[in-house]
PDB file of all heavy atoms in Angstrom:
ATOM      1  N   ALA A   1       0.820  -1.184  -0.006  1.00  0.00           N
ATOM      2  CA  ALA A   1      -0.015   0.002   0.003  1.00  0.00           C
ATOM      3  C   ALA A   1       0.880   1.226  -0.005  1.00  0.00           C
ATOM      4  O   ALA A   1       2.008   1.215   0.480  1.00  0.00           O
ATOM      5  CB  ALA A   1      -0.919  -0.015   1.205  1.00  0.00           C
ATOM      6  N   ALA A   2       0.407   2.301  -0.551  1.00  0.00           N
ATOM      7  CA  ALA A   2       1.099   3.589  -0.611  1.00  0.00           C
ATOM      8  C   ALA A   2       0.123   4.717  -0.860  1.00  0.00           C
ATOM      9  O   ALA A   2      -0.973   4.487  -1.334  1.00  0.00           O
ATOM     10  CB  ALA A   2       2.161   3.567  -1.673  1.00  0.00           C
ATOM     11  N   HIS A   3       0.525   5.921  -0.527  1.00  0.00           N
ATOM     12  CA  HIS A   3      -0.357   7.014  -0.817  1.00  0.00           C
ATOM     13  C   HIS A   3       0.276   7.925  -1.870  1.00  0.00           C
ATOM     14  O   HIS A   3       1.527   7.911  -2.059  1.00  0.00           O
ATOM     15  CB  HIS A   3      -0.689   7.834   0.442  1.00  0.00           C
ATOM     16  CG  HIS A   3       0.496   8.540   1.061  1.00  0.00           C
ATOM     17  ND1 HIS A   3       1.431   7.923   1.782  1.00  0.00           N
ATOM     18  CD2 HIS A   3       0.793   9.845   0.989  1.00  0.00           C
ATOM     19  CE1 HIS A   3       2.324   8.815   2.220  1.00  0.00           C
ATOM     20  NE2 HIS A   3       1.992   9.996   1.738  1.00  0.00           N
ATOM     21  N   ALA A   4      -0.518   8.707  -2.584  1.00  0.00           N
ATOM     22  CA  ALA A   4      -0.042   9.543  -3.655  1.00  0.00           C
ATOM     23  C   ALA A   4      -1.007  10.718  -3.817  1.00  0.00           C
ATOM     24  O   ALA A   4      -2.195  10.621  -3.534  1.00  0.00           O
ATOM     25  CB  ALA A   4       0.047   8.784  -4.960  1.00  0.00           C
ATOM     26  N   MET A   5      -0.444  11.866  -4.291  1.00  0.00           N
ATOM     27  CA  MET A   5      -1.320  12.997  -4.564  1.00  0.00           C
ATOM     28  C   MET A   5      -2.148  12.737  -5.783  1.00  0.00           C
ATOM     29  O   MET A   5      -3.361  13.039  -5.807  1.00  0.00           O
ATOM     30  CB  MET A   5      -0.434  14.258  -4.769  1.00  0.00           C
ATOM     31  CG  MET A   5      -1.242  15.534  -5.005  1.00  0.00           C
ATOM     32  SD  MET A   5      -0.238  17.018  -5.241  1.00  0.00           S
ATOM     33  CE  MET A   5       0.378  16.699  -6.898  1.00  0.00           C
ATOM     34  N   LEU A   6      -1.557  12.139  -6.818  1.00  0.00           N
ATOM     35  CA  LEU A   6      -2.272  11.842  -8.096  1.00  0.00           C
ATOM     36  C   LEU A   6      -2.056  10.339  -8.392  1.00  0.00           C
ATOM     37  O   LEU A   6      -0.999   9.786  -8.094  1.00  0.00           O
ATOM     38  CB  LEU A   6      -1.767  12.663  -9.225  1.00  0.00           C
ATOM     39  CG  LEU A   6      -1.790  14.186  -9.041  1.00  0.00           C
ATOM     40  CD1 LEU A   6      -1.063  14.881 -10.182  1.00  0.00           C
ATOM     41  CD2 LEU A   6      -3.224  14.690  -8.969  1.00  0.00           C
ATOM     42  N   ILE A   7      -3.025   9.726  -9.042  1.00  0.00           N
ATOM     43  CA  ILE A   7      -2.908   8.294  -9.412  1.00  0.00           C
ATOM     44  C   ILE A   7      -3.199   8.164 -10.896  1.00  0.00           C
ATOM     45  O   ILE A   7      -3.904   8.973 -11.504  1.00  0.00           O
ATOM     46  CB  ILE A   7      -3.863   7.451  -8.604  1.00  0.00           C
ATOM     47  CG1 ILE A   7      -5.303   7.820  -8.837  1.00  0.00           C
ATOM     48  CG2 ILE A   7      -3.546   7.476  -7.109  1.00  0.00           C
ATOM     49  CD1 ILE A   7      -6.295   6.889  -8.217  1.00  0.00           C
ATOM     50  N   PRO A   8      -2.634   7.112 -11.546  1.00  0.00           N
ATOM     51  CA  PRO A   8      -2.883   6.932 -12.928  1.00  0.00           C
ATOM     52  C   PRO A   8      -4.368   6.757 -13.229  1.00  0.00           C
ATOM     53  O   PRO A   8      -5.116   6.111 -12.455  1.00  0.00           O
ATOM     54  CB  PRO A   8      -2.142   5.602 -13.229  1.00  0.00           C
ATOM     55  CG  PRO A   8      -1.069   5.556 -12.230  1.00  0.00           C
ATOM     56  CD  PRO A   8      -1.666   6.152 -11.015  1.00  0.00           C
ATOM     57  N   PHE A   9      -4.844   7.337 -14.341  1.00  0.00           N
ATOM     58  CA  PHE A   9      -6.257   7.291 -14.778  1.00  0.00           C
ATOM     59  C   PHE A   9      -7.192   7.887 -13.749  1.00  0.00           C
ATOM     60  O   PHE A   9      -8.393   7.521 -13.700  1.00  0.00           O
ATOM     61  CB  PHE A   9      -6.618   5.868 -15.121  1.00  0.00           C
ATOM     62  CG  PHE A   9      -5.718   5.175 -16.095  1.00  0.00           C
ATOM     63  CD1 PHE A   9      -4.734   4.295 -15.645  1.00  0.00           C
ATOM     64  CD2 PHE A   9      -5.755   5.444 -17.435  1.00  0.00           C
ATOM     65  CE1 PHE A   9      -3.844   3.714 -16.534  1.00  0.00           C
ATOM     66  CE2 PHE A   9      -4.882   4.874 -18.292  1.00  0.00           C
ATOM     67  CZ  PHE A   9      -3.888   4.019 -17.906  1.00  0.00           C
ATOM     68  N   GLY A  10      -6.678   8.781 -12.942  1.00  0.00           N
ATOM     69  CA  GLY A  10      -7.488   9.458 -11.916  1.00  0.00           C
ATOM     70  C   GLY A  10      -8.151  10.700 -12.374  1.00  0.00           C
ATOM     71  O   GLY A  10      -8.941  11.328 -11.621  1.00  0.00           O
ATOM     72  N   GLY A  11      -7.864  11.143 -13.614  1.00  0.00           N
ATOM     73  CA  GLY A  11      -8.493  12.339 -14.157  1.00  0.00           C
ATOM     74  C   GLY A  11      -7.769  13.647 -13.882  1.00  0.00           C
ATOM     75  O   GLY A  11      -8.249  14.703 -14.299  1.00  0.00           O
ATOM     76  N   SER A  12      -6.677  13.593 -13.120  1.00  0.00           N
ATOM     77  CA  SER A  12      -5.941  14.818 -12.797  1.00  0.00           C
ATOM     78  C   SER A  12      -4.471  14.643 -13.150  1.00  0.00           C
ATOM     79  O   SER A  12      -3.916  13.573 -13.030  1.00  0.00           O
ATOM     80  CB  SER A  12      -6.034  15.153 -11.320  1.00  0.00           C
ATOM     81  OG  SER A  12      -7.422  15.364 -10.971  1.00  0.00           O
ATOM     82  N   SER A  13      -3.835  15.776 -13.546  1.00  0.00           N
ATOM     83  CA  SER A  13      -2.407  15.797 -13.756  1.00  0.00           C
ATOM     84  C   SER A  13      -1.833  17.151 -13.512  1.00  0.00           C
ATOM     85  O   SER A  13      -2.577  18.161 -13.415  1.00  0.00           O
ATOM     86  CB  SER A  13      -2.079  15.296 -15.203  1.00  0.00           C
ATOM     87  OG  SER A  13      -2.620  16.200 -16.148  1.00  0.00           O
ATOM     88  N   TRP A  14      -0.493  17.255 -13.495  1.00  0.00           N
ATOM     89  CA  TRP A  14       0.157  18.513 -13.163  1.00  0.00           C
ATOM     90  C   TRP A  14       1.563  18.507 -13.796  1.00  0.00           C
ATOM     91  O   TRP A  14       2.297  17.513 -13.590  1.00  0.00           O
ATOM     92  CB  TRP A  14       0.275  18.637 -11.617  1.00  0.00           C
ATOM     93  CG  TRP A  14       1.134  19.699 -11.084  1.00  0.00           C
ATOM     94  CD1 TRP A  14       1.370  20.944 -11.613  1.00  0.00           C
ATOM     95  CD2 TRP A  14       1.937  19.645  -9.904  1.00  0.00           C
ATOM     96  NE1 TRP A  14       2.234  21.613 -10.817  1.00  0.00           N
ATOM     97  CE2 TRP A  14       2.616  20.855  -9.761  1.00  0.00           C
ATOM     98  CE3 TRP A  14       2.124  18.632  -8.934  1.00  0.00           C
ATOM     99  CZ2 TRP A  14       3.436  21.114  -8.703  1.00  0.00           C
ATOM    100  CZ3 TRP A  14       2.973  18.867  -7.884  1.00  0.00           C
ATOM    101  CH2 TRP A  14       3.643  20.135  -7.766  1.00  0.00           C
ATOM    102  N   ASN A  15       1.875  19.523 -14.576  1.00  0.00           N
ATOM    103  CA  ASN A  15       3.181  19.569 -15.172  1.00  0.00           C
ATOM    104  C   ASN A  15       3.813  20.984 -15.046  1.00  0.00           C
ATOM    105  O   ASN A  15       3.174  21.913 -14.711  1.00  0.00           O
ATOM    106  CB  ASN A  15       3.100  19.161 -16.645  1.00  0.00           C
ATOM    107  CG  ASN A  15       2.226  20.023 -17.492  1.00  0.00           C
ATOM    108  OD1 ASN A  15       2.131  21.239 -17.281  1.00  0.00           O
ATOM    109  ND2 ASN A  15       1.478  19.441 -18.440  1.00  0.00           N
ATOM    110  N   ASP A  16       5.098  21.021 -15.323  1.00  0.00           N
ATOM    111  CA  ASP A  16       5.818  22.287 -15.250  1.00  0.00           C
ATOM    112  C   ASP A  16       7.093  22.247 -16.049  1.00  0.00           C
ATOM    113  O   ASP A  16       7.532  21.100 -16.430  1.00  0.00           O
ATOM    114  CB  ASP A  16       6.159  22.605 -13.740  1.00  0.00           C
ATOM    115  CG  ASP A  16       6.053  24.082 -13.493  1.00  0.00           C
ATOM    116  OD1 ASP A  16       6.327  24.900 -14.378  1.00  0.00           O
ATOM    117  OD2 ASP A  16       5.629  24.442 -12.350  1.00  0.00           O
ATOM    118  N   ASP A  17       7.687  23.354 -16.312  1.00  0.00           N
ATOM    119  CA  ASP A  17       8.960  23.431 -17.021  1.00  0.00           C
ATOM    120  C   ASP A  17      10.084  23.065 -16.120  1.00  0.00           C
ATOM    121  O   ASP A  17      10.144  23.460 -14.945  1.00  0.00           O
ATOM    122  CB  ASP A  17       9.179  24.816 -17.597  1.00  0.00           C
ATOM    123  CG  ASP A  17       8.203  25.162 -18.710  1.00  0.00           C
ATOM    124  OD1 ASP A  17       7.991  24.307 -19.596  1.00  0.00           O
ATOM    125  OD2 ASP A  17       7.623  26.258 -18.699  1.00  0.00           O
ATOM    126  N   ILE A  18      11.096  22.371 -16.663  1.00  0.00           N
ATOM    127  CA  ILE A  18      12.246  21.917 -15.863  1.00  0.00           C
ATOM    128  C   ILE A  18      13.522  22.609 -16.346  1.00  0.00           C
ATOM    129  O   ILE A  18      13.723  22.761 -17.561  1.00  0.00           O
ATOM    130  CB  ILE A  18      12.361  20.369 -15.998  1.00  0.00           C
ATOM    131  CG1 ILE A  18      11.122  19.665 -15.631  1.00  0.00           C
ATOM    132  CG2 ILE A  18      13.555  19.898 -15.158  1.00  0.00           C
ATOM    133  CD1 ILE A  18      10.585  19.986 -14.247  1.00  0.00           C
ATOM    134  N   ILE A  19      14.334  22.971 -15.393  1.00  0.00           N
ATOM    135  CA  ILE A  19      15.631  23.631 -15.701  1.00  0.00           C
ATOM    136  C   ILE A  19      16.717  22.744 -15.087  1.00  0.00           C
ATOM    137  O   ILE A  19      16.746  22.525 -13.872  1.00  0.00           O
ATOM    138  CB  ILE A  19      15.694  25.040 -15.097  1.00  0.00           C
ATOM    139  CG1 ILE A  19      14.561  25.897 -15.668  1.00  0.00           C
ATOM    140  CG2 ILE A  19      17.044  25.664 -15.378  1.00  0.00           C
ATOM    141  CD1 ILE A  19      14.449  27.234 -14.999  1.00  0.00           C
ATOM    142  N   ASN A  20      17.627  22.216 -15.896  1.00  0.00           N
ATOM    143  CA  ASN A  20      18.717  21.394 -15.396  1.00  0.00           C
ATOM    144  C   ASN A  20      19.722  22.266 -14.657  1.00  0.00           C
ATOM    145  O   ASN A  20      19.946  23.439 -14.946  1.00  0.00           O
ATOM    146  CB  ASN A  20      19.402  20.654 -16.545  1.00  0.00           C
ATOM    147  CG  ASN A  20      18.535  19.551 -17.075  1.00  0.00           C
ATOM    148  OD1 ASN A  20      17.816  18.870 -16.355  1.00  0.00           O
ATOM    149  ND2 ASN A  20      18.557  19.362 -18.398  1.00  0.00           N
ATOM    150  N   ALA A  21      20.371  21.699 -13.644  1.00  0.00           N
ATOM    151  CA  ALA A  21      21.393  22.424 -12.865  1.00  0.00           C
ATOM    152  C   ALA A  21      22.484  22.929 -13.788  1.00  0.00           C
ATOM    153  O   ALA A  21      22.931  22.251 -14.721  1.00  0.00           O
ATOM    154  CB  ALA A  21      21.984  21.485 -11.828  1.00  0.00           C
ATOM    155  N   GLY A  22      22.935  24.211 -13.544  1.00  0.00           N
ATOM    156  CA  GLY A  22      23.976  24.775 -14.310  1.00  0.00           C
ATOM    157  C   GLY A  22      23.468  25.473 -15.557  1.00  0.00           C
ATOM    158  O   GLY A  22      24.244  25.956 -16.376  1.00  0.00           O
ATOM    159  N   SER A  23      22.133  25.527 -15.731  1.00  0.00           N
ATOM    160  CA  SER A  23      21.545  26.168 -16.921  1.00  0.00           C
ATOM    161  C   SER A  23      20.419  27.065 -16.454  1.00  0.00           C
ATOM    162  O   SER A  23      19.816  26.885 -15.371  1.00  0.00           O
ATOM    163  CB  SER A  23      21.024  25.113 -17.885  1.00  0.00           C
ATOM    164  OG  SER A  23      20.273  25.752 -18.944  1.00  0.00           O
ATOM    165  N   GLU A  24      20.076  28.037 -17.292  1.00  0.00           N
ATOM    166  CA  GLU A  24      18.924  28.898 -17.074  1.00  0.00           C
ATOM    167  C   GLU A  24      17.856  28.673 -18.130  1.00  0.00           C
ATOM    168  O   GLU A  24      16.858  29.376 -18.135  1.00  0.00           O
ATOM    169  CB  GLU A  24      19.330  30.383 -17.023  1.00  0.00           C
ATOM    170  CG  GLU A  24      20.215  30.729 -15.826  1.00  0.00           C
ATOM    171  CD  GLU A  24      19.507  30.532 -14.493  1.00  0.00           C
ATOM    172  OE1 GLU A  24      18.294  30.797 -14.422  1.00  0.00           O
ATOM    173  OE2 GLU A  24      20.150  30.053 -13.506  1.00  0.00           O
ATOM    174  N   GLN A  25      18.088  27.714 -18.953  1.00  0.00           N
ATOM    175  CA  GLN A  25      17.161  27.436 -20.082  1.00  0.00           C
ATOM    176  C   GLN A  25      16.188  26.303 -19.712  1.00  0.00           C
ATOM    177  O   GLN A  25      16.635  25.320 -19.062  1.00  0.00           O
ATOM    178  CB  GLN A  25      17.922  27.073 -21.334  1.00  0.00           C
ATOM    179  CG  GLN A  25      18.915  28.158 -21.806  1.00  0.00           C
ATOM    180  CD  GLN A  25      18.174  29.459 -22.215  1.00  0.00           C
ATOM    181  OE1 GLN A  25      17.151  29.404 -22.839  1.00  0.00           O
ATOM    182  NE2 GLN A  25      18.741  30.560 -21.812  1.00  0.00           N
ATOM    183  N   ASP A  26      14.950  26.466 -20.098  1.00  0.00           N
ATOM    184  CA  ASP A  26      13.993  25.382 -19.873  1.00  0.00           C
ATOM    185  C   ASP A  26      14.400  24.151 -20.686  1.00  0.00           C
ATOM    186  O   ASP A  26      14.663  24.260 -21.906  1.00  0.00           O
ATOM    187  CB  ASP A  26      12.586  25.782 -20.293  1.00  0.00           C
ATOM    188  CG  ASP A  26      11.976  26.812 -19.347  1.00  0.00           C
ATOM    189  OD1 ASP A  26      12.481  26.900 -18.176  1.00  0.00           O
ATOM    190  OD2 ASP A  26      11.002  27.493 -19.696  1.00  0.00           O
ATOM    191  N   ALA A  27      14.487  22.995 -20.020  1.00  0.00           N
ATOM    192  CA  ALA A  27      14.880  21.767 -20.709  1.00  0.00           C
ATOM    193  C   ALA A  27      13.703  21.020 -21.240  1.00  0.00           C
ATOM    194  O   ALA A  27      13.879  20.046 -22.034  1.00  0.00           O
ATOM    195  CB  ALA A  27      15.677  20.872 -19.780  1.00  0.00           C
ATOM    196  N   GLY A  28      12.491  21.409 -20.912  1.00  0.00           N
ATOM    197  CA  GLY A  28      11.297  20.714 -21.367  1.00  0.00           C
ATOM    198  C   GLY A  28      10.248  20.618 -20.278  1.00  0.00           C
ATOM    199  O   GLY A  28      10.498  21.038 -19.102  1.00  0.00           O
ATOM    200  N   VAL A  29       9.114  20.083 -20.613  1.00  0.00           N
ATOM    201  CA  VAL A  29       8.020  19.951 -19.627  1.00  0.00           C
ATOM    202  C   VAL A  29       8.011  18.555 -19.066  1.00  0.00           C
ATOM    203  O   VAL A  29       8.198  17.539 -19.804  1.00  0.00           O
ATOM    204  CB  VAL A  29       6.677  20.272 -20.325  1.00  0.00           C
ATOM    205  CG1 VAL A  29       5.511  20.004 -19.380  1.00  0.00           C
ATOM    206  CG2 VAL A  29       6.632  21.697 -20.808  1.00  0.00           C
ATOM    207  N   ALA A  30       7.781  18.429 -17.764  1.00  0.00           N
ATOM    208  CA  ALA A  30       7.642  17.141 -17.115  1.00  0.00           C
ATOM    209  C   ALA A  30       6.381  17.164 -16.226  1.00  0.00           C
ATOM    210  O   ALA A  30       5.982  18.237 -15.767  1.00  0.00           O
ATOM    211  CB  ALA A  30       8.895  16.808 -16.293  1.00  0.00           C
ATOM    212  N   TRP A  31       5.863  15.978 -16.020  1.00  0.00           N
ATOM    213  CA  TRP A  31       4.654  15.842 -15.159  1.00  0.00           C
ATOM    214  C   TRP A  31       5.133  15.503 -13.775  1.00  0.00           C
ATOM    215  O   TRP A  31       6.136  14.802 -13.549  1.00  0.00           O
ATOM    216  CB  TRP A  31       3.774  14.773 -15.719  1.00  0.00           C
ATOM    217  CG  TRP A  31       2.851  15.278 -16.782  1.00  0.00           C
ATOM    218  CD1 TRP A  31       1.489  15.460 -16.682  1.00  0.00           C
ATOM    219  CD2 TRP A  31       3.194  15.659 -18.107  1.00  0.00           C
ATOM    220  NE1 TRP A  31       0.983  15.947 -17.847  1.00  0.00           N
ATOM    221  CE2 TRP A  31       2.032  16.082 -18.765  1.00  0.00           C
ATOM    222  CE3 TRP A  31       4.403  15.719 -18.820  1.00  0.00           C
ATOM    223  CZ2 TRP A  31       1.992  16.548 -20.043  1.00  0.00           C
ATOM    224  CZ3 TRP A  31       4.375  16.206 -20.136  1.00  0.00           C
ATOM    225  CH2 TRP A  31       3.188  16.600 -20.747  1.00  0.00           C
ATOM    226  N   LEU A  32       4.450  16.050 -12.714  1.00  0.00           N
ATOM    227  CA  LEU A  32       4.921  15.942 -11.352  1.00  0.00           C
ATOM    228  C   LEU A  32       3.913  15.184 -10.500  1.00  0.00           C
ATOM    229  O   LEU A  32       2.711  15.198 -10.747  1.00  0.00           O
ATOM    230  CB  LEU A  32       5.084  17.338 -10.778  1.00  0.00           C
ATOM    231  CG  LEU A  32       5.770  18.398 -11.699  1.00  0.00           C
ATOM    232  CD1 LEU A  32       5.845  19.761 -11.031  1.00  0.00           C
ATOM    233  CD2 LEU A  32       7.189  17.942 -12.069  1.00  0.00           C
ATOM    234  N   ASN A  33       4.424  14.541  -9.439  1.00  0.00           N
ATOM    235  CA  ASN A  33       3.554  13.830  -8.501  1.00  0.00           C
ATOM    236  C   ASN A  33       4.306  13.710  -7.139  1.00  0.00           C
ATOM    237  O   ASN A  33       5.504  13.686  -7.144  1.00  0.00           O
ATOM    238  CB  ASN A  33       3.203  12.436  -9.037  1.00  0.00           C
ATOM    239  CG  ASN A  33       1.952  11.901  -8.354  1.00  0.00           C
ATOM    240  OD1 ASN A  33       1.343  12.535  -7.462  1.00  0.00           O
ATOM    241  ND2 ASN A  33       1.482  10.749  -8.777  1.00  0.00           N
ATOM    242  N   TYR A  34       3.538  13.668  -6.108  1.00  0.00           N
ATOM    243  CA  TYR A  34       4.083  13.420  -4.725  1.00  0.00           C
ATOM    244  C   TYR A  34       3.623  12.055  -4.253  1.00  0.00           C
ATOM    245  O   TYR A  34       2.450  11.743  -4.342  1.00  0.00           O
ATOM    246  CB  TYR A  34       3.642  14.519  -3.765  1.00  0.00           C
ATOM    247  CG  TYR A  34       4.421  15.810  -3.896  1.00  0.00           C
ATOM    248  CD1 TYR A  34       4.028  16.763  -4.786  1.00  0.00           C
ATOM    249  CD2 TYR A  34       5.597  15.992  -3.148  1.00  0.00           C
ATOM    250  CE1 TYR A  34       4.773  17.956  -4.893  1.00  0.00           C
ATOM    251  CE2 TYR A  34       6.318  17.176  -3.281  1.00  0.00           C
ATOM    252  CZ  TYR A  34       5.926  18.152  -4.108  1.00  0.00           C
ATOM    253  OH  TYR A  34       6.653  19.293  -4.282  1.00  0.00           O
ATOM    254  N   LEU A  35       4.562  11.249  -3.723  1.00  0.00           N
ATOM    255  CA  LEU A  35       4.245   9.893  -3.375  1.00  0.00           C
ATOM    256  C   LEU A  35       4.788   9.500  -2.005  1.00  0.00           C
ATOM    257  O   LEU A  35       5.752  10.130  -1.489  1.00  0.00           O
ATOM    258  CB  LEU A  35       4.978   8.918  -4.352  1.00  0.00           C
ATOM    259  CG  LEU A  35       4.952   9.244  -5.846  1.00  0.00           C
ATOM    260  CD1 LEU A  35       5.899   8.258  -6.536  1.00  0.00           C
ATOM    261  CD2 LEU A  35       3.562   9.127  -6.360  1.00  0.00           C
ATOM    262  N   GLY A  36       4.221   8.445  -1.435  1.00  0.00           N
ATOM    263  CA  GLY A  36       4.816   7.842  -0.231  1.00  0.00           C
ATOM    264  C   GLY A  36       5.627   6.634  -0.613  1.00  0.00           C
ATOM    265  O   GLY A  36       5.543   6.149  -1.743  1.00  0.00           O
ATOM    266  N   PRO A  37       6.441   6.127   0.283  1.00  0.00           N
ATOM    267  CA  PRO A  37       7.290   4.938   0.017  1.00  0.00           C
ATOM    268  C   PRO A  37       6.370   3.779  -0.379  1.00  0.00           C
ATOM    269  O   PRO A  37       5.270   3.662   0.142  1.00  0.00           O
ATOM    270  CB  PRO A  37       7.978   4.718   1.358  1.00  0.00           C
ATOM    271  CG  PRO A  37       8.010   6.005   1.998  1.00  0.00           C
ATOM    272  CD  PRO A  37       6.694   6.714   1.615  1.00  0.00           C
TER     273      PRO A  37
END
């Protein structure tokens, strides 16, 4: 068992632009989630 903010096929998602360390340029969009172990 585990807990999560969002689950697959749950109808919700959240994404944002990502910046790699050492750069100020957006590297692309990724989807985000918070999880338990």
